[in-house]
Amino acid sequence: EAGVTQFPSHSVIEKGQTVTLRCDPISGHDNLYWYRRVMGKEIKFLLHFVKESKQDESGMPNNRFLAERTGGTYSTLKVQPAELEDSGVYFCASTLLRDPGAEQFFGPGTRLTVL
Amino acid sequence: AQSVTQLGSHVSVSEGALVLLRCNYSSSVPPYLFWYVQYPNQGLQLLLKYTSAATLVKGINGFEAEFKKSETSFHLTKPSAHMSDAAEYFCAVRGSGSARQLTFGSGTQLTVLP
């Protein structure tokens, strides 16, 4: 069974440009999460999808970030326009159940560098 | 709201020595606690989890953790470190909100010295 995949693995862009990150969860996992780790800080929650619906986007930093999950399969996270402070590693995770004890399966992350 | 504190951003041990990584949590409700490990260029991998059953939890690769409610702690231990244990370790607590998102500590980088 394939794990959570993320694309690209690395992205280097100029301030003001647009970047789109993609996450493919484990097949059949309705719950999809985005997290971000800014350099030296803790990993922080961004938002949660159940199928194609946003359940909680309380962690989204501002309206320059837009997440979508059309069709309830893969998800994209767009940053437009990117700022220097957006640099970090963006992780995606998925889980079949919303049970609080259920394991979240993480992808390898996308390292975003904004110059 | 939940929070997690990991004491020591960097820990070094000699190969064969005891590994002890500290985690303290804050939660207003019974917590679900997790330890994840991240090896270089890989995603986070679950080591073990506490879900209100046994307080001593055994995980993969010889790691275990003990839930101590009185101390609000969930420290990770391994009796004998191996070079392959060098990685970054994250303690996390599961929220009680609808999203069930994880709240992470700041991570501990473990170095194993030969």
Side-chain angles (χ1 to χ4, degrees):
Chain A
E1 179 181 299
V4 177
T5 57
Q6 294 187 245
F7 182 83
S9 57
H10 293 82
S11 180
V12 180
I13 61 172
E14 299 278 340
K15 175 182 173 180
Q17 290 185 320
T18 297
V19 63
T20 300
L21 314 180
R22 173 170 170 147
C23 168
D24 286 77
I26 293 173
S27 178
H29 281 195
D30 288 341
N31 294 276
L32 187 149
Y33 301 80
W34 283 98
Y35 294 86
R36 176 175 75 170
R37 189 183 194 194
V38 171
M39 179 75 75
K41 303 285 189 179
E42 63 272 20
I43 300 169
K44 287 196 171 181
F45 167 76
L46 295 178
L47 85 159
H48 170 223
F49 283 98
V50 175
K51 298 185 180 179
E52 67 276 8
S53 299
K54 291 177 189 175
Q55 290 294 111
D56 183 344
E57 48 185 335
S58 61
M60 294 286 262
N62 51 60
N63 59 11
R64 296 185 293 103
F65 289 75
L66 175 63
E68 295 180 325
R69 193 182 181 196
T70 306
T73 54
Y74 70 91
S75 174
T76 58
L77 180 64
K78 180 189 288 187
V79 185
Q80 180 182 30
E83 298 289 344
L84 299 179
E85 64 265 25
D86 301 333
S87 295
V89 181
Y90 291 75
F91 292 101
C92 175
S94 72
T95 183
L96 177 62
L97 302 172
R98 290 178 61 192
D99 182 284
E103 176 182 356
Q104 291 188 9
F105 295 85
F106 281 79
T110 293
R111 181 174 296 278
L112 174 64
T113 302
V114 182
L115 302 175
Chain B
Q2 286 79 30
S3 66
V4 174
T5 301
Q6 290 184 242
L7 294 176
S9 58
H10 291 82
V11 171
S12 294
V13 299
S14 298
E15 190 173 20
L18 171 72
V19 176
L20 171 61
L21 304 182
R22 300 178 185 275
C23 172
N24 288 87
Y25 69 91
S26 172
S27 177
S28 57
V29 296
Y32 293 86
L33 295 159
F34 303 79
W35 274 101
Y36 280 86
V37 60
Q38 185 181 24
Y39 299 103
N41 301 314
Q42 296 185 27
L44 280 72
Q45 179 183 359
L46 182 67
L47 273 178
L48 50 79
K49 63 180 180 181
Y50 168 76
T51 58
S52 76
T55 56
L56 182 61
V57 181
K58 295 186 183 297
I60 61 171
N61 302 337
F63 284 93
E64 63 181 38
E66 186 173 7
F67 172 71
K68 291 187 177 180
K69 184 178 178 180
S70 61
E71 299 177 8
T72 60
S73 68
F74 190 56
H75 302 331
L76 182 70
T77 60
K78 181 174 181 177
S80 177
H82 191 273
M83 297 297 288
S84 61
D85 295 326
E88 190 162 20
Y89 292 78
F90 297 92
C91 183
V93 62
R94 196 71 173 271
S96 58
S98 61
R100 301 280 193 255
Q101 71 267 25
L102 293 166
T103 300
F104 286 89
S106 53
T108 298
Q109 183 68 47
L110 176 67
T111 300
V112 182
L113 305 171

